Amino acid sequence: MDNLRVAKVDNVTLDRLLPPSSPSSSSSPIPTSLRQSGTLHLTPHHLIFSPSSSAEGDTGEIWISYPAITLLTRLPQTFGGKYPLQIRTRGFDSYVLTFERAMEGGAEDVWLSVKDCAVAISVEQLYAFFYTLPTPAVSSGSTISTSSHTSPLDVGGIPHPPSASSSSGWSTFSPRLEFARQGVGSRTKAWRFTDINKDYSFSPTYPAKMVVPSRISDSTLSYAGKYRSKGRIPALTYLHWANQASMTRSSQPMVGLKNARSAQDERLVECIFSSHQFLDTAYTASSSTPTPNPLTSSTSTPVYGATSTNLIVDARPTANAMANVAIGAGTENMENYKSAKKAYLGIDNIHVMRNSLKVISEALRDAEAPSIGSSTQSGAPPLDRSLLRKSNWLKHVSAILEGSLLIIRNIHLNASHVLVHCSDGWDRTAQLCAVAQICLDPYYRTLDGFKVLVEKDWLAFGHKFLDRSGHLSSEKLFTVTDAPDEDSDEEGGGGGVGAQKVAQAFFASVQNQFKKGDTHLKEVSPVFHQFLDCVRQIQRQFPDRFEYNEQYLLDIYTDLYSCKFGTFLFNNERERRVAPDASQAGSLPYVERTVSAWEWYDRPEVRRGYINSTYDASLDDPKNRGEGADQGVLMFDPRDVRWWFRLFRRGDEEMNGPSPSFQAQAQGQPQTSGVGVGADMVFVNPGQVDPVSAQGVAEGLAGRGEGFVTGPGVQGSRGPSPVPGRKAVNPALNGVSGKGTYRGIESTSSAFSLQTAGHPTPNPDLSSSSQFPSAGGWGWNQFSSGAYSALSRGAREIRTIGEGAYNQIRAEVGETQETGGAGTGIGEGRPGGAAAPAGRGVRMPSEANPWSLPSSAGGGGTGAGPSSSALQGDMPIQPAPGGEPKLPAGKQASAEQSERELEAAMGGDSRAWDPLGAA
């Protein structure tokens, strides 16, 4: 209470936006503003607003926890003499509190009190250490027993761990019970538990109980731990019920510039990828008498050759992995791991994700600014979806889903093992492993299974909840935007107010040099938020396959930042289980001083509200062989992503809008396909050059931007960057991720993008390329001066590519026009991938996009640009006797004009190409 300057303020006006009343509400498609008067109470952990009278849409008291505040701004005084404060929360709520006075229990005292209480220096100051569960209301016949709950896997005969006898939610996850349910020790003996980290000295961020291959001793593990960042060795997180394929996770290897290697780490990975061959005993192959498997009606005899696509999944872009080599880390050298292939998923780091969410918050703030405080029950202005697209949030979510789908297919369809890691193995690795397990095992789609999954893959394996959620807050989140004093001048006139402000600013800057920096703000990132978003995307595609509903995910997100429970409060298992001061008598671990969130969610009256009414457990029966049966494994569409509008407190149509394909059909425009949507994946086969290695970097520089083409059919070959829309020729990739097509990339994070075919037209929020038509005229009248400036800058940037790249483009287009074939983009039509002779002319009409090239002369391509025949009025290109392809005489003048325009667009004379007449 020492930090509170005021505990109660009367006559406070609250302005806020009410989200649409229901997800399907047609009467309230957008939020509406609401103004209420009441009393504001301040506690050491909450702001509580009690309205004096109820209003339509009123939900009673409003509790705002201090850690959930993302920005508290003291606004300038209003014309009516009021003093407003604006509060923005991590739940995407915005409130404006208006006070009658500034000091003496007014806006200034409230602002300072909240700032002092929110900026905590220790986790023990948070609300979880003071919160106790309320006494449950006892009513006859209303209890729901968690132990008698039937989940979908009971139908298929997959064993379940018994419910914990203790009522504490901290006993939700038991490593022995959960891995025994997966088959460790019962259906296979190739895995064992190790106590090498029982005192957390081996790896402070790993769980005390780990599962490793039985053929690996603890002595080998101790040496292998030195080769992995922070000792996070490859450890088992999931064993598939159908084929004994494993999912393991780790951190990056410490390769460095010297290309270091570890024989123990290589042996550990080799034993993981061969664990299916040692089911009955750890040291000899399976006996001649096979063990029947009741789930698959087969035997445990290994199917030789079924694990030919073992994968080491690096979630990072190749550029990020390359940067880590310079600091002594990096990625595996596949010459030392010959039993596997590698895939770079191209998922961006925590800083990119934090900035992406920041752009979303700014878009929501711009839509709220004109409405909050303007009038009562007025409608909010429409949300600008173009600002949302700039965040690339849906693209990031799609990248995580696509990487998870790669893991799912490799485990379930290819019966192969997967090792997943990023840099430290506690952010992107947790996202990929958890999302993949939800789709592979129906148990994790139940209420009991989901909390086990979160405890195992997020809490036990050391996701940094405290750092990523920013629970300790910072003074930077408390700002002042008071209006400047117009009576004062720069020389300190007006009573010296200006000089006083200058002096205050100077002393504040000096003081900040001696204060501890807010470095923890750089660790904040919506990693767990993205995981919940991914689960919601899958839940929306399969609404009858989840026992829990959307509200369950929303409440978990709310409690992530409420700091009411100890579940989402610490960085690793060691911080939860070990007393902070073991030498001091009476010091208790944090699990005994805080309440688990699962203890609250398991209460009958609470659990009842999370049951999905459309849930059908029979659909997950692995013995079902009927039409449309999937054995309980969900193969979702990673490109079918939409904004989670309920989480962002907006309307569905407001954020997602109508379907882009319907709009294109209604306007008679050709539908465009997304380019570069999802993860930028790069595959590296054994024996091939890794683009992250020193040799790969050297070859990449020598190749001047040409992409690596990997696969058994083209090992060691190089060619031009794959053309969008052309079929992949790598049979290994088809086995891993189905029939795919190479698509262009939007960034330089990897050599090429791998996208699965057969998906519907993507959401336009995923890629800005879908906003422009792929054929026909440009429609210059739709561009503003700002757009024209952007095009001009783009033309100048294209010129920096260099004459060599420009000549190569001309040569490739000229060869395509000469041969008339639709190549594969991997050196097709040129033996050995040799370049065509330079000097081929580029003939393009003036109405076409000067930057788009025809995909093929004879059609058959699916690129973003129009075909040659469409651009030239179905007039074929006739090769001249001298070898130079020329147009018919009637088109010659137009072709020469088009070539001049193209050269001008590439940075030449601007007067030759000036569609807007600006020259």
Side-chain angles (χ1 to χ4, degrees), residues 442-513:
Y443 173 65
Y444 296 128
R445 299 196 290 270
T446 66
L447 285 167
D448 290 333
F450 186 81
K451 61 183 181 181
V452 170
L453 177 68
V454 173
E455 286 277 342
K456 174 172 65 72
D457 275 273
W458 291 91
L459 277 72
F461 274 98
H463 175 66
K464 302 170 68 174
F465 279 103
L466 181 63
D467 293 344
R468 296 293 180 261
S469 303
H471 291 323
L472 298 183
S473 193
S474 170
E475 291 187 359
K476 290 186 177 181
L477 305 181
F478 300 86
T479 61
V480 180
T481 58
D482 284 339
D485 190 353
E486 298 179 354
D487 296 334
S488 60
D489 53 27
E490 296 180 355
E491 301 297 332
V497 178
Q500 181 181 0
K501 290 184 177 181
V502 172
Q504 290 177 352
F506 171 76
F507 287 111
S509 62
V510 174
Q511 185 180 11
N512 290 334
Q513 297 180 3

Side-chain angles (χ1 to χ4, degrees), residues 186-208:
S186 57
R187 290 187 288 124
T188 176
K189 296 182 180 179
W191 302 88
R192 70 176 180 90
F193 288 95
T194 177
D195 294 326
I196 191 174
N197 198 39
K198 63 180 180 180
D199 56 353
Y200 303 102
S201 59
F202 176 76
S203 177
T205 62
Y206 249 23

Side-chain angles (χ1 to χ4, degrees), residues 533-604:
D533 202 331
C534 291
V535 176
R536 174 55 191 163
Q537 302 294 340
I538 304 173
Q539 188 184 59
R540 182 180 51 80
Q541 297 185 31
F542 301 91
D544 53 354
R545 308 298 288 273
F546 288 79
E547 185 188 24
Y548 44 87
N549 54 23
E550 180 186 8
Q551 189 61 42
Y552 183 62
L553 302 177
L554 291 171
D555 286 354
I556 290 179
Y557 176 83
T558 301
D559 290 330
L560 171 66
Y561 296 107
S562 67
C563 295
K564 183 167 57 176
F565 304 109
T567 304
F568 311 112
L569 213 60
F570 309 102
N571 287 333
N572 49 65
E573 183 181 283
R574 180 178 180 272
E575 292 184 3
R576 299 180 188 89
R577 301 286 179 178
V578 178
D581 191 0
S583 60
Q584 184 178 2
S587 179
L588 299 176
Y590 289 152
V591 294
E592 298 184 19
R593 299 175 57 186
T594 60
V595 178
S596 172
W598 316 119
E599 189 173 351
W600 167 256
Y601 294 145
D602 283 342
R603 288 199 168 187

Side-chain angles (χ1 to χ4, degrees), residues 84-100:
L85 293 179
Q86 186 175 35
I87 301 174
R88 299 187 183 277
T89 68
R90 301 185 188 274
F92 305 98
D93 287 312
S94 182
Y95 307 95
V96 175
L97 298 171
T98 305
F99 301 86
E100 295 181 347

Side-chain angles (χ1 to χ4, degrees), residues 164 169-179 207 209 451-453 455-457 460-461 573 577:
W170 292 114
S171 59
T172 295
F173 168 63
S174 170
R176 291 195 177 275
L177 293 178
E178 171 57 18
F179 286 107
K209 189 75 65 176
K451 61 183 181 181
V452 170
L453 177 68
E455 286 277 342
K456 174 172 65 72
D457 275 273
F461 274 98
E573 183 181 283
R577 301 286 179 178

Side-chain angles (χ1 to χ4, degrees), residues 381-392:
L383 185 65
D384 188 357
R385 289 197 295 272
S386 63
L387 296 178
L388 295 179
R389 282 193 290 269
K390 292 180 181 179
S391 69
N392 288 328

